[in-house]
Structure formats: C-alpha cells, structure tokens
Amino acid sequence: MINRQKDERDDRLERLFAAARETPPDVSAVERNFETRLAARIRESRERKEPWYGWAWRLAPVFVVLTLLLGAWTLVLDPVHPADPGTALVSVAEQVALVDDLTGG
Amino acid sequence: MKEVMPAPQTEKEFVRAALNGDDEAFAELVRSHKAAVLRTAARFARNDAELDDLGQETFMRVYQSLGSYRGEAPFGHWISRITIRACYDFLRERRRHEKDVSLDALEYSVADPASGAAFSSGQARLILERGMSKLKPSERLIITLFELEDRSVREVAALTGWSETLVKVRAFRARKALKRSIGGEDDK
C-alpha cells in the first residue's frame, strides 16, 4: 500500500517535471530593451564615486610592509636584545640609574 | 594617421574589445547570451521584476569579471557558471529575507488532473514553485538544473563546482524533499 502510494507520488512528480520542461518560461517581456537597462546600470555603477573609506582597506598591505620594514630597521639599528625579561628589567633599571646620575636626580 | 581597429568578429574579440572599453561590444555579447541567461534565471524568479533584477545582476557580474575570462572554455559556458552562481546567491538571499515564503500572491487554480493525465505547463510550474519554495536553495538549484533543465550530472557538477558524487546525493535528497513538500506530510 505504502509502496503504491510512493509510486504514485514518483509518477506525479515525473509528470510535473515533464510538463514544466515542455514549454520553456516566456522571457520575451524582460528581453525587450534589456541591454538598454543594463547599460544604464553599468553607467550608474561607473559614475558612483567610491567614498574615501571604500579604498582605505586597500592600503592595508602597504601598512603591513611598512610595519615589517620598521621592525627590521629597528633590529638592524639596535641588535642587542636581552635574552630574558629579567635581564631586560635590569637593563632598564641601569638606564634609569644612569639618567639619574647624569641629571643629578 | 589614426589606426582603425577592425570590428570584432569572434566572441573572444568581442570580449577583448569590451575590456578595452567598447560598450557596443559588450552590448553585443549581452544580446547573444541574454535569452539563455534569462531562461535559466526564469526558473528561479517569481515574476518579471525579479527576473529583470536577476538577469541584470548576472550580466553585471559578467562585466565585472570579464578580465578573468581566459578563453579556455566557450564564452557561453563561462556565462552559464556565473548565471548559476548568481541564481544560487539570489535564492539564498531571498530565503534570508523571507523565512517562510508565502505564495498566496500567486493565483492558484491548480486542480490536479486525473491520475495519469498530463499537467499543463503553467499548472506544473505553479505546483513545483509552491513545492520548491519550501526547499533549501541548494535543493532547489539541483532540482531545477537536473529535472527542469534536463542537465547531466557532469554538467551540473561543472556548473556548480560540486563533485559528481555530491551532485547525485543532493539530487536524491532534493527529490525526496520535493515529493514530501508537494505530497504533504503523510509520507514522512
């Protein structure tokens, strides 16, 4: 019984597909002057000015390269790097002491 | 003396001319392919306004990506892929905006013909439209390409970018979902 019902549904679906395939949709109304409307849309999109922030993101790679260059330049200029945070703290403390000595603080 | 460019003859030449800013060359490409694009798009649009929008959106995409056409496949195939992509995006967008698509606006005078008798084309389209409105965009796309446009598994795979196995699986599931949608809930 269930199988027969399923067969009927399959058959119905096939008939629906066949009928829908038989006549392709009528697009003649939309085809008329389609190029003219499209050309107007293309012109409009060309004329629409992009806001300043529209292209700002395109500069992101430039900023990335600049940051990398600055980082490399800093490394070349000051290649001495303390190996651990403790050494860094001592180095900062020494610099503070030196500044104090020089300024008489 | 100004060099006069010869008029484009082949589609490749029309594409090149359009890329060089020749709007008439692009219009010629549109003229040659609009019928095929609109016929496919009409399977997804519910009225002429939607069809016009979808057709224009497709050709805008063609225009914007013209530079990426390398001429390896025929221009018509290349446009078909863009059309399918645009239709799929259109379905997804529509579904996002209308969670429960109402087709009450459509006039239904759809009486099922006696068992075994043929449906009229209009009747069939309305019944299928109602049934497919409840399907997922991917299911609707595959039913349209497979059953209504009568394309092969290989063609559907090439157009959608899905593997042939995925196309078969999705087609099977989509058909099942459509049967349920059209036939009611009693065969769940």
Side-chain angles (χ1 to χ4, degrees):
Chain A
M1 176 73 179
I2 290 171
N3 276 344
R4 218 185 74 196
Q5 203 176 37
K6 279 192 173 171
D7 286 347
E8 277 171 16
R9 293 237 161 107
D10 274 321
D11 172 60
R12 183 168 184 254
L13 205 54
E14 281 309 326
R15 283 188 293 126
L16 282 169
F17 288 145
R21 270 196 304 261
E22 209 170 78
T23 322
D26 178 22
V27 296
S28 55
V30 179
E31 265 193 83
R32 223 168 293 129
N33 301 323
F34 182 78
E35 306 87 272
T36 317
R37 292 193 299 278
L38 180 68
R41 188 165 161 182
I42 290 174
R43 253 196 319 276
E44 194 191 334
S45 79
R46 268 192 212 141
E47 283 162 10
R48 205 181 306 132
K49 270 199 158 181
E50 218 178 346
W52 65 269
Y53 51 82
W55 51 266
W57 64 271
R58 288 180 208 166
L59 291 175
V62 177
F63 287 122
V64 169
V65 170
L66 259 177
T67 312
L68 287 174
L69 282 175
L70 265 174
W73 184 61
T74 316
L75 276 176
V76 171
L77 207 70
D78 181 21
V80 184
H81 293 284
D84 62 290
T87 323
L89 277 176
V90 170
S91 157
V92 169
E94 279 174 355
Q95 282 180 28
V96 170
L98 184 64
V99 169
D100 278 352
D101 281 347
L102 290 173
T103 55
Chain B
M1 202 173 92
K2 197 178 163 190
E3 193 184 339
V4 179
M5 293 289 284
Q9 301 289 325
T10 63
E11 282 201 320
K12 245 180 171 175
E13 286 171 2
F14 275 108
V15 171
R16 211 172 301 133
L19 279 170
N20 289 328
D22 183 347
D23 286 348
E24 192 41 48
F26 184 67
E28 189 51 46
L29 289 171
V30 175
R31 264 191 290 276
S32 319
H33 294 279
K34 68 178 176 183
V37 167
L38 290 174
R39 267 200 302 273
T40 300
R43 301 277 189 198
F44 303 94
R46 285 174 301 185
N47 50 47
D48 280 358
E50 271 190 3
L51 176 59
D52 194 41
D53 270 355
L54 186 50
Q56 285 195 32
E57 173 60 27
T58 303
F59 278 108
M60 282 300 284
R61 290 184 187 197
V62 169
Y63 181 75
Q64 281 155 359
S65 48
L66 213 51
S68 67
Y69 175 64
R70 286 191 292 273
E72 287 157 4
F75 193 63
H77 290 192
W78 187 73
I79 286 193
S80 292
R81 276 202 298 274
I82 294 180
T83 308
I84 296 305
R85 191 72 236 175
C87 291
Y88 187 45
D89 290 346
F90 167 80
L91 286 176
R92 289 201 300 183
E93 191 67 19
R94 189 164 78 186
R95 199 178 167 89
R96 231 192 325 268
H97 285 113
E98 304 166 29
K99 268 286 170 223
D100 192 5
V101 182
S102 164
L103 293 171
D104 294 344
L106 290 173
E107 280 180 28
Y108 280 101
S109 54
V110 186
D112 225 26
S115 182
F119 287 93
S120 80
S121 210
Q123 268 182 326
R125 267 208 291 277
L126 279 175
I127 296 172
L128 287 172
E129 175 61 40
R130 184 167 52 183
M132 288 202 289
S133 70
K134 294 169 194 156
L135 304 189
K136 288 188 217 156
S138 60
E139 291 172 338
R140 183 173 177 152
L141 183 76
I142 210 138
I143 287 279
T144 304
L145 295 176
F146 219 49
E147 307 285 4
L148 302 182
E149 299 238 302
D150 219 8
R151 295 183 191 258
S152 66
V153 173
R154 182 176 288 185
E155 275 180 302
V156 176
L159 285 169
T160 55
W162 300 334
S163 70
E164 289 188 22
T165 314
L166 184 60
V167 168
K168 283 182 202 164
V169 170
R170 282 191 166 162
F172 176 75
R173 286 189 188 149
R175 201 183 153 96
K176 206 170 153 190
L178 181 61
K179 245 191 307 184
R180 205 159 46 222
S181 168
I182 286 177
E185 303 293 309
D186 48 324
D187 63 342
K188 261 187 185 174

